[in-house]
Amino acid sequence: MEVLGIDVGGTGIKSNIINVETGESVGEKLKIKTPTPATPEAIIECLRETVENYQWQGKKIGIGFPSVIKNGVSLTASNIDQQFINYNIDSEFSKALGCDVRVVNDADAAGIAEMTYGKGKNVKGLVIFITLGTGIGSALFYNGQLLANTELGHLKYKKSVFEKYASNSAREFHHLSWKRWAKDLDVYLNHLDLLLSPDLILIGGGVSKNFDLYKQYLNVKVKVDMAALQNDAGIIGAAMAAV
Ligand code: BGC
């Protein structure tokens, strides 16, 4: 079965048609810049453009969204417009796009793909999957079972929360070297290890592909690895979660 998978991020809206049985991308990936402000109306406009680009006639669209999601409703808005607090994405987007839209948290979506087709496949025990992008997203899996909406990027750190120091946007915004940035990332990973005693930590998101540039600065007891699906995981997992 094919599903249109869309990964709505703080910086870009990425999409592709996904074969949900194999996890393979069927079409050509599309990336649109996330509008500012990222209001529901502006996001819907980008989604219309996406649907048109693929001339999508299929029944389902799966969306990964950077918020806590309960029953299709977004409850938080850290890197997206505040109008998304208590916004029923499933019903509003389904109406606007004339298609059955299912939304899940973006990190949960990417984690689902990585646990099925990537380095989390068949891993028992506790896997913490984190995405380092505009924010920090997290997805927890125990024996492959997802514990949704964990929001571990929002653990308190220094004057704020970890995502303000160890996300990729923090690295870019403050023009940090890999070494300097990895210092905070190392504190973060050790903190997760102390709190949760995972068996594996997987790093996804924009900087997963640069893992070789900073892994030498990480000093964590538990195994830390980069995600195999890298930045496409969010699109694939969003499609998978919709069915
Ligand atoms: C949001 C999470 C999201 C993460 C990655 C955080 O700011 O609170 O829900 O998963 O960013 O986009």
Side-chain angles (χ1 to χ4, degrees), residues 4 6 13 15 30-33 35 42-56 97:
L4 178 56
I6 306 179
I13 300 178
S15 56
L30 174 74
K31 186 169 176 180
I32 301 176
K33 213 172 158 298
I43 297 276
I44 285 172
E45 222 15 73
C46 297
L47 298 180
R48 284 210 177 100
E49 194 182 325
T50 303
V51 166
E52 254 170 50
N53 170 75
Y54 292 103
Q55 307 209 325
W56 183 244
L97 301 174

Side-chain angles (χ1 to χ4, degrees), residues 11-239:
T11 323
I13 300 178
K14 289 165 282 177
S15 56
N16 208 335
I17 297 170
I18 305 298
N19 176 327
V20 289
E21 277 93 28
T22 62
E24 274 160 22
S25 307
V26 178
E28 186 126 333
K29 182 165 150 186
L30 174 74
K31 186 169 176 180
I32 301 176
K33 213 172 158 298
T34 305
T36 33
T39 58
E41 251 173 51
I43 297 276
I44 285 172
E45 222 15 73
C46 297
L47 298 180
R48 284 210 177 100
E49 194 182 325
T50 303
V51 166
E52 254 170 50
N53 170 75
Y54 292 103
Q55 307 209 325
W56 183 244
Q57 307 279 340
K59 284 207 177 70
K60 280 190 188 292
I61 296 179
I63 295 184
F65 202 80
S67 306
V68 170
I69 305 287
K70 286 267 186 190
N71 304 316
V73 179
S74 55
L75 300 180
T76 59
S78 331
N79 294 307
I80 204 100
D81 194 82
Q82 299 292 302
Q83 286 181 44
F84 273 108
I85 296 176
N86 289 320
Y87 182 88
N88 195 324
I89 294 186
D90 276 8
S91 83
E92 294 300 328
F93 286 15
S94 293
K95 248 189 277 164
L97 301 174
C99 193
D100 183 15
V101 174
R102 295 289 166 91
V103 68
V104 288
N105 170 265
D106 58 350
D108 286 344
I112 289 169
E114 189 64 27
M115 293 301 289
T116 313
Y117 300 114
K119 294 210 178 125
K121 194 174 170 187
N122 298 327
V123 179
K124 293 277 173 256
L126 182 66
V127 179
I128 302 180
F129 173 82
I130 57 169
T131 60
L132 306 175
T134 310
I136 293 183
S138 61
L140 249 61
F141 294 86
Y142 188 71
N143 288 341
Q145 188 73 37
L146 170 69
L147 177 65
N149 292 313
T150 43
E151 294 292 320
L152 296 178
H154 288 255
L155 287 167
K156 297 274 177 282
Y157 183 52
K158 292 184 179 169
K159 290 185 185 145
S160 179
V161 292
F162 272 102
E163 89 170 1
K164 298 288 177 224
Y165 298 88
S167 63
N168 190 38
S169 61
R171 184 186 65 83
E172 288 175 350
F173 185 76
H174 299 291
H175 305 287
L176 303 177
S177 65
W178 289 107
K179 188 175 177 184
R180 177 62 197 84
W181 171 75
K183 241 184 174 181
D184 286 322
L185 179 61
D186 191 49
V187 175
Y188 180 53
L189 298 177
N190 274 292
H191 196 55
L192 293 179
D193 187 32
L194 175 80
L195 292 178
L196 295 160
S197 300
D199 297 283
L200 173 66
I201 297 179
L202 289 172
I203 298 184
V207 285
S208 52
K209 61 177 181 297
N210 305 112
F211 192 58
D212 282 348
L213 299 176
Y214 56 86
K215 68 176 183 204
Q216 65 268 35
Y217 307 121
L218 303 177
N219 190 9
V220 198
K221 275 198 311 308
V222 61
K223 184 177 176 199
V224 179
D225 203 353
M226 67 177 215
L229 303 184
Q230 301 192 350
N231 235 356
D232 286 346
I235 304 172
I236 300 168

